[in-house]
Amino acid sequence: MKRKILATLLVAAMTVSALAGCGSKTADSNAPKEDSSSEVAETPTEDAADSEADTAPEDNGEVVELEFWGWWSSEARKPHITKMVDDFNASQSKYHVTYVDIPFGDIFTKNIAQIAAGNPCDIMANSLEEVVFRAEQGQVEPLNDYLTDDVTGAFYEQYISSCTADDGSIYALPLSVDTRGIYYNKAHFAEAGINPEDIKTWDDLVEAARKLDKKNGDDWERIGFIPVLGNGGVDTWMVNANQGNPAWFDLETKEAKVNTDVNKEAFKWVRDQIEYYGQAKYDELAAVFSSGMQDPFASGILSMLVHTSAYQSSLKQNAPDLEYGVIPLPEFKAGNGHFANGGGFVLEIPKGAKCPEGSYEFIKFVTSRETQDFLSTNIGDFSARNDFDDSTEFFKNPINAELGKCLEETCTIVVPNELKGYQDVVNPLIEEGTLGLKPTDEALDNAQKAMEDFIATNQ
């Protein structure tokens, strides 16, 4: 497994809150009842507690009440989260966890407010990309006093790195992650005589797309591939071309690197694919995706599409009979690597939580192989664990196994604190090149200047 270069920020060393003072809490009775989470696999649940029972804390006769905050409140997800919590509670008798669901739009600001007030929850679900930022801000407790090598070694290195600050402390463990791959229509591939395993590079991808294209006069009946449709933007392809490194800045020096030779060649390739089918056709398909009303891949108009691992749920609902597969994003050049960008969520202990030891026991349970397999199978999110194989229920689904290969080279780009907000400056200028309003080289030059100005202003 290649090490993915991820940004880290300098943080002060933190001490773990003492176990003394642990008390009980009451769940929020005003928790919401619904969310917009996707449909889940109909897989029987399994009790994940057995593997943790022999490592559970020794019972001293006192039960410590803990609150776990998350945003999963739909009927598709909440029952599985609740069972996971119940399994933990049944696995030992020292701690009792209550799940509190809070709307996604409110939970993060409420978490910060509770930390500032000195009354945080005990376990918090939060974003993977900003773990190190929260550590720098003093919002989370380090986990080092509890972690063992067998725990940290069970995750892909890039995700543990995303949770590690410059002081070497780990401040969270991964709960779920996503990745990107290219979904392809198996019937279209068979008709065109294409072996998906032959698509190794960007050039191979274009060659396959041309074989898949169908045109009736001036109208496109079927389109092989447009790289920035679905859930893969220009940044996805730039990260791929830059071997998993950030697209627009240098990770070590924090300097702008927007208009590099690699980015210019890669951006021109993206634009060339749009121009091949015509700006009007791209605009039409982009609008269809944006509306959420139709899915050109599900309907057979597109033969290939970049999307996240969560796209399976949409296809299950919109095209249950569609036969499709997934391949990793091809290499920019042979030997470059099949890198993709992705994000995810973690479990962490908010700063000032009354019982970090108990909070960690819950985090360890939830991120164990058995519990992660249960959650992934029933909810559909990917685990960041590196020990999933065909013995797990989740990987018995062949599409999950294919996406698992994509996960191995997925990078989480953590934006340094001093560069936060740069997207608002750079992205509109990149969009001018994507839409053909400016030549791609000019768009990159303009974005380079804007990025340099942004960095100078924020130093």
Side-chain angles (χ1 to χ4, degrees):
M1 178 62 213
K2 298 181 180 178
R3 179 175 178 85
K4 308 302 183 292
I5 305 177
L6 298 165
T8 55
L9 302 170
L10 181 63
V11 299
M14 296 181 180
T15 58
V16 179
S17 297
L19 181 58
C22 292
S24 62
K25 290 187 177 182
T26 303
D28 185 354
S29 61
N30 296 318
K33 303 303 179 186
E34 298 292 338
D35 67 15
S36 58
S37 302
S38 58
E39 183 178 335
V40 303
E42 296 179 356
T43 306
T45 61
E46 295 180 1
D47 190 339
D50 291 344
S51 66
E52 300 295 327
D54 56 358
T55 59
E58 186 175 333
D59 182 11
N60 64 1
E62 297 181 1
V63 177
V64 180
E65 294 290 337
L66 304 173
E67 279 191 2
F68 164 42
W69 283 13
W71 50 86
W72 304 282
S73 58
S74 72
E75 290 304 313
R77 291 184 173 235
K78 187 172 182 178
H80 305 296
I81 298 295
T82 300
K83 181 175 187 327
M84 174 194 75
V85 172
D86 290 343
D87 285 347
F88 171 75
N89 290 335
S91 73
Q92 46 72 54
S93 57
K94 188 171 183 178
Y95 308 107
H96 181 270
V97 173
T98 299
Y99 173 54
V100 181
D101 57 90
I102 300 171
F104 191 82
D106 299 332
I107 187 170
F108 305 110
T109 53
K110 185 173 182 179
N111 176 53
I112 293 172
Q114 291 297 107
I115 292 170
N119 186 34
C121 66
D122 301 288
I123 307 103
M124 175 71 183
N126 220 322
S127 64
L128 173 67
E129 294 87 344
E130 295 195 335
V131 171
V132 179
F133 171 74
R134 290 190 295 274
E136 182 190 50
Q137 298 298 306
Q139 297 173 4
V140 287
E141 298 280 4
L143 304 181
N144 291 54
D145 285 354
Y146 314 109
L147 291 170
T148 55
D149 290 343
D150 62 312
V151 172
T152 55
F155 296 96
Y156 284 115
E157 185 180 4
Q158 64 265 36
Y159 298 112
I160 289 295
S161 295
S162 294
C163 298
T164 306
D166 275 351
D167 64 355
S169 293
I170 296 172
Y171 288 87
L173 287 180
L175 171 64
S176 64
V177 293
D178 66 16
T179 184
R180 284 171 174 79
I182 295 180
Y183 289 72
Y184 66 91
N185 186 307
K186 287 188 173 182
H188 293 181
F189 268 51
E191 176 190 320
I194 300 171
N195 180 354
E197 294 182 358
D198 292 338
I199 302 177
K200 305 289 189 185
T201 67
W202 290 16
D203 288 343
D204 296 336
L205 185 61
V206 172
E207 182 181 346
R210 299 300 175 260
K211 293 178 181 179
L212 293 161
D213 292 335
K214 281 189 175 181
K215 202 170 186 181
N216 182 8
D218 292 333
D219 296 328
W220 290 101
E221 291 184 349
R222 190 168 79 192
I223 288 176
F225 183 69
I226 298 179
V228 286
L229 288 178
N231 199 305
V234 173
D235 60 331
T236 293
W237 295 98
M238 297 299 119
V239 168
N240 178 283
N242 284 281
Q243 298 183 298
N245 291 299
W248 313 127
F249 60 89
D250 186 279
L251 203 56
E252 299 298 326
T253 66
K254 313 297 189 297
E255 295 175 339
K257 61 156 204 173
V258 181
N259 62 347
T260 64
D261 290 342
V262 168
N263 284 349
K264 285 186 174 181
E265 182 179 355
F267 198 13
K268 183 178 184 303
W269 178 87
V270 170
R271 180 60 199 168
D272 285 347
Q273 309 319 306
I274 296 174
E275 289 181 346
Y276 178 80
Y277 297 105
Q279 186 65 43
K281 192 63 179 179
Y282 169 75
D283 291 343
E284 173 191 334
L285 292 174
V288 167
F289 272 113
S290 297
S291 70
M293 299 300 292
Q294 299 181 53
D295 185 333
F297 178 79
S299 65
I301 296 173
L302 285 171
S303 295
M304 295 185 286
L305 182 72
V306 176
H307 221 297
T308 66
S309 45
Y311 185 50
Q312 285 186 84
S313 297
S314 174
L315 290 176
K316 182 178 179 180
Q317 182 176 4
N318 297 325
D321 298 325
L322 179 66
E323 294 187 2
Y324 64 91
V326 178
I327 58 173
L329 265 65
E331 300 178 293
F332 175 53
K333 307 285 186 182
N336 232 50
H338 299 267
F339 294 99
N341 58 334
F345 297 103
V346 299
L347 294 180
E348 60 192 23
I349 305 173
K351 183 66 175 177
K354 66 178 182 299
C355 191
E357 179 180 316
S359 298
Y360 174 74
E361 287 300 325
F362 179 75
I363 291 173
K364 180 182 176 183
F365 180 90
V366 173
T367 57
S368 69
R369 187 175 189 264
E370 291 77 13
T371 308
Q372 287 280 288
D373 189 22
F374 164 73
L375 289 175
S376 296
T377 301
N378 289 280
I379 290 180
D381 295 335
F382 262 73
S383 172
R385 292 187 66 93
N386 58 26
D387 55 0
F388 270 32
D389 53 33
D390 57 11
S391 69
T392 58
E393 287 297 320
F394 189 61
F395 266 26
K396 287 178 182 178
N397 177 337
I399 298 298
N400 290 337
E402 291 173 6
L403 284 163
K405 298 175 183 176
C406 304
L407 192 67
E408 295 179 11
E409 293 189 274
T410 298
C411 310
T412 299
I413 305 299
V414 179
V415 178
N417 189 32
E418 56 267 41
L419 297 184
K420 285 187 180 296
Y422 82 88
Q423 297 95 330
D424 295 336
V425 173
V426 171
N427 287 357
L429 301 174
I430 298 299
E431 186 73 358
E432 290 182 349
T434 306
L435 298 177
L437 302 176
K438 296 281 178 66
T440 54
D441 280 6
E442 182 180 344
L444 289 173
D445 288 341
N446 292 341
Q448 172 75 21
K449 178 63 166 57
M451 185 70 162
E452 290 173 351
D453 292 344
F454 176 83
I455 292 171
T457 301
N458 287 276
Q459 281 183 344

